[in-house]
């Protein structure tokens, strides 16, 4: 089965390209490299365009985080009738994207920047602000879309749970485990994110899948 996994974006293709350059500047040069002049030069656009699209520096950071979060796909086509196979495919795509985004240089740089700023007394306020942006525009946007997907799975009779938040955080824990913390501390990432995603989703579906889902899963040897 072929699954269309395109996510609608709140930014235009040109704005996405600018945000990609801004994220690359952050990874390569740290916070000091993230200036409107530097972003405009790297993205070959004017500072006026940056202010028009994103507002001030905080607006640019917010847009960068939202753009990064949008790379974690949880697409459900309007009117699509979920099946056991398509639910599995959608959740695997989410899990794989989540692992790849969290383990990427950009996510690690953003989180290390937020942690570093919080630990600096003079920048405590800014650190708190960046941390809130990472939660509001990053993690919670990912959470919202993923919970909508598992809610759709329940409505289709494919998942069973009494607490959607608990079910989602079980999925998140199975997928991520302590990987992100270990990578923030300098350990290398996974060699095979696809395998980890498949294993996590299989475990999740065995915990929360209905008979319709379990009947299509391979028998454990």
């Amino acid at each position: 089965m072929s699954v269309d996994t395109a996510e609608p974006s709140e930014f235009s293709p040109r704005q996405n390209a600018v945000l990609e350059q801004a994220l690359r500047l952050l990874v390569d040069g740290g916070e000091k490299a993230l200036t409107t002049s530097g972003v405009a030069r790297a993205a070959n656009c004017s500072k006026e365009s940056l202010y028009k699209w994103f507002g001030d520096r905080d607006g640019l950071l917010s847009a960068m985080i939202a753009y990064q979060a949008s790379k974690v796909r949880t697409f459900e086509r309007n009117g699509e009738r979920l099946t056991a196979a398509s639910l599995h495919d959608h959740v695997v795509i989410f899990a794989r994207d989540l692992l790849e985004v969290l383990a990427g240089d950009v996510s690690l740089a953003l989180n290390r920047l937020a942690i570093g700023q919080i630990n600096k007394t003079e920048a405590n306020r800014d650190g708190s602000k960046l941390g809130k942006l990472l939660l509001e525009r990053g993690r919670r946007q990912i959470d919202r879309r993923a919970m909508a997907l598992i809610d759709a799975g329940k409505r289709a009779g494919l998942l069973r749970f009494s607490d959607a938040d608990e079910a989602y955080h079980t999925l998140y824990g199975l997928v991520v485990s302590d990987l992100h913390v270990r990578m923030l501390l300098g350990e290398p990432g996974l060699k095979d994110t696809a395998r980890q995603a498949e294993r996590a989703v299989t475990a999740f579906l065995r915990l929360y899948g209905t008979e319709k889902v379990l009947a299509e899963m391979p028998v454990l040897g």
Side-chain angles (χ1 to χ4, degrees):
M1 176 179 178
S2 175
V3 179
D4 182 358
T5 56
E7 283 276 7
S9 175
E10 63 183 281
F11 307 112
S12 70
R14 176 60 176 139
Q15 290 167 344
N16 285 342
V18 171
L19 292 171
E20 196 68 50
Q21 289 298 323
L23 289 168
R24 182 49 49 194
L25 279 177
L26 179 66
V27 171
D28 293 342
E31 181 189 7
K32 292 181 180 179
L34 193 63
T35 64
T36 53
S37 297
V39 173
R41 185 165 51 252
N44 194 27
C45 71
S46 67
K47 289 196 290 184
E48 289 74 19
S49 293
L50 289 179
Y51 287 118
K52 178 182 177 181
W53 291 335
F54 310 117
D56 60 12
R57 188 172 181 274
D58 287 343
L60 176 61
L61 271 172
S62 177
M64 290 163 62
I65 293 166
Y67 170 67
Q68 185 70 2
S70 74
K71 296 177 182 178
V72 181
R73 299 164 293 173
T74 55
F75 180 80
E76 180 193 355
R77 187 182 295 108
N78 290 335
E80 174 186 3
R81 182 179 177 83
L82 282 176
T83 65
S86 64
L87 174 66
H88 168 273
D89 289 346
H90 285 317
V91 182
V92 167
I93 287 166
F94 161 75
R96 189 181 65 225
D97 285 356
L98 181 64
L99 285 169
E100 290 177 357
V101 166
L102 290 180
D105 291 343
V106 169
S107 176
L108 294 174
L110 283 167
N111 280 274
R112 284 170 178 155
L113 176 59
I115 293 168
Q117 288 186 346
I118 289 173
N119 289 334
K120 293 178 182 178
T121 304
E122 293 181 359
N124 204 24
R125 182 179 176 185
D126 290 337
S128 176
K129 185 180 294 183
L130 178 56
K132 288 177 180 177
L133 284 174
L134 284 169
L135 285 174
E136 294 293 338
R137 297 285 279 163
R139 173 66 186 270
R140 287 175 186 163
Q141 294 304 312
I142 293 171
D143 293 351
R144 177 183 57 77
R145 296 197 305 271
M147 287 185 69
L149 174 59
I150 65 171
D151 278 338
K154 182 178 182 180
R155 292 195 304 272
L158 301 171
L159 297 175
R160 54 187 168 195
F161 49 80
S162 57
D163 187 327
D165 187 69
E166 179 182 288
Y168 167 66
H169 282 92
T170 298
L171 172 62
Y172 192 96
L174 288 168
V175 174
V176 178
S177 185
D178 63 346
L179 172 68
H180 201 215
V181 173
R182 289 189 285 109
M183 290 195 69
L184 285 169
L185 294 174
E187 287 192 14
L190 294 171
K191 293 182 179 179
D192 191 346
T193 56
R195 182 181 179 187
Q196 170 64 14
E198 186 66 50
R199 290 174 60 185
V201 172
T202 296
F204 173 74
L205 293 178
R206 291 194 182 281
L207 286 170
Y208 292 99
T210 63
E211 287 76 10
K212 292 179 183 179
V213 171
L214 297 176
E216 295 193 22
M217 296 182 68
V219 177
L220 291 176

